[in-house]
């Protein structure tokens, strides 16, 4: 019996180790390629014949009409910050209303929001494009950036289900006690609910911040060929175009590593709150 349990334990560890290697291998390949000394694309080997940091240096120092990593990075950072702030505000407000308030059409709205959440966002891409064009948001590069912020944050309120699940775990008796002391619903939200909701707010901020960094479809549709206002996803993908790939293939991977650093740092700094937010939402 003990021998069977021992074998079962070994088998579980071996399976987890294999799955771990499969998960880490693509990341390992990206990092290796970012330091690869030999240029060109699609080598028949994984381990580089030489290592260099020139890929990072060239990517940062290159500033042309077609390639400007620093500008792309700054564009994405600005869009991500504004989108994160607005998205978090929308999500928290909607989640608080759905969790704490009782009003007519509440349940139909919850069902409607759930149905809408089943459809991928890019299905509305064409409609959103023509709406923004009709409103004049596609006239200049700066307005296009504003349009991206509106796109990323506009529908954020419909992603309130996880935040609502967390708020449902906070006893309503706390709110009722605040009302008895003369607090309004807004004061209760600011001074009681939000301090108790740091985990889910952290989770919302992280997911909202990651969106602009990884999105390509909406950003490309809105930005078009306005290269100096590209986000990091569009800019790096342009390095893989047919006329660029042989010269900038390894720099593309260097850029992939660099844009993952801010997200990795944020995740490590807020990991505790992130886990608490997700686990609290599941309990709710």
């Amino acid at each position: 019996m003990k021998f069977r349990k021992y074998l079962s334990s070994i088998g579980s560890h071996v399976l987890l180790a294999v799955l771990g290697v499969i998960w880490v291998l693509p990341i390992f390949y990206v990092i290796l390629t970012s330091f690869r000394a030999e240029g060109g694309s699609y080598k028949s080997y994984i381990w580089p014949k030489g290592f260099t940091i020139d890929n990072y240096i060239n990517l940062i120092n290159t500033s042309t009409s077609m390639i400007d990593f620093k500008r792309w990075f700054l564009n994405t950072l600005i869009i991500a910050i504004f989108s994160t702030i607005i998205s978090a505000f929308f999500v928290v407000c909607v989640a608080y209303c759905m969790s704490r308030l009782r009003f007519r059409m509440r349940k139909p709205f919850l069902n409607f929001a759930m149905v809408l959440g089943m459809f991928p966002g890019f299905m509305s891409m064409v409609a959103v494009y023509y709406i923004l064009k009709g409103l004049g948001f596609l006239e200049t590069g700066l307005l296009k950036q504003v349009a991206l912020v509106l796109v990323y944050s506009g529908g954020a309120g419909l992603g309130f289900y996880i935040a609502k699940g967390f708020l449902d775990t906070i006893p309503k008796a706390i709110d009722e006690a605040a009302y008895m002391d003369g607090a309004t619903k807004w004061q209760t939200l600011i001074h009681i609910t939000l301090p108790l909701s740091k985990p889910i707010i952290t989770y919302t901020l992280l997911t909202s911040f990651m969106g602009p960094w990884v999105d390509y479809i909406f950003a490309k549709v809105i930005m078009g060929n306005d290269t100096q206002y590209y986000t990091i996803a569009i800019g790096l993908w342009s390095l893989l175009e047919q006329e660029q790939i042989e010269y900038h293939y390894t720099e593309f991977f260097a850029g992939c590593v660099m844009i993952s650093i801010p997200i990795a740092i944020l995740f490590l700094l807020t990991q505790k709150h992130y886990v608490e937010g997700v686990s609290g939402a599941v309990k709710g």
Side-chain angles (χ1 to χ4, degrees), residues 25-41:
L25 188 58
I27 302 174
F28 183 67
Y29 175 78
V30 169
I31 296 175
L32 274 181
T33 307
S34 71
F35 288 102
R36 195 177 74 189
E38 55 272 25
S41 61

Side-chain angles (χ1 to χ4, degrees), residues 25-26 39 41 59 72 89 109 119 122 141 144 150 154 170 179 189 196 214-215 224 254 256 262 264 267 275:
L25 188 58
S41 61
L59 183 64
W72 296 340
F89 177 78
F109 177 81
F119 294 93
F122 65 82
K144 289 179 180 179
L150 294 177
I170 301 176
Y179 298 152
L189 170 64
L196 294 174
V214 300
D215 177 61
C256 292
F267 183 81
V275 174

Side-chain angles (χ1 to χ4, degrees), residues 7 11 15 20 28 56 60 81 110 122 135 139 161 177 184 196 220 234 278:
L7 287 178
L15 177 62
F28 183 67
Y56 291 88
I60 294 175
I81 290 174
L110 289 172
F122 65 82
L135 294 175
E139 300 297 329
Y161 267 94
T184 63
L196 294 174
K220 180 60 177 175
I234 313 174
V278 177

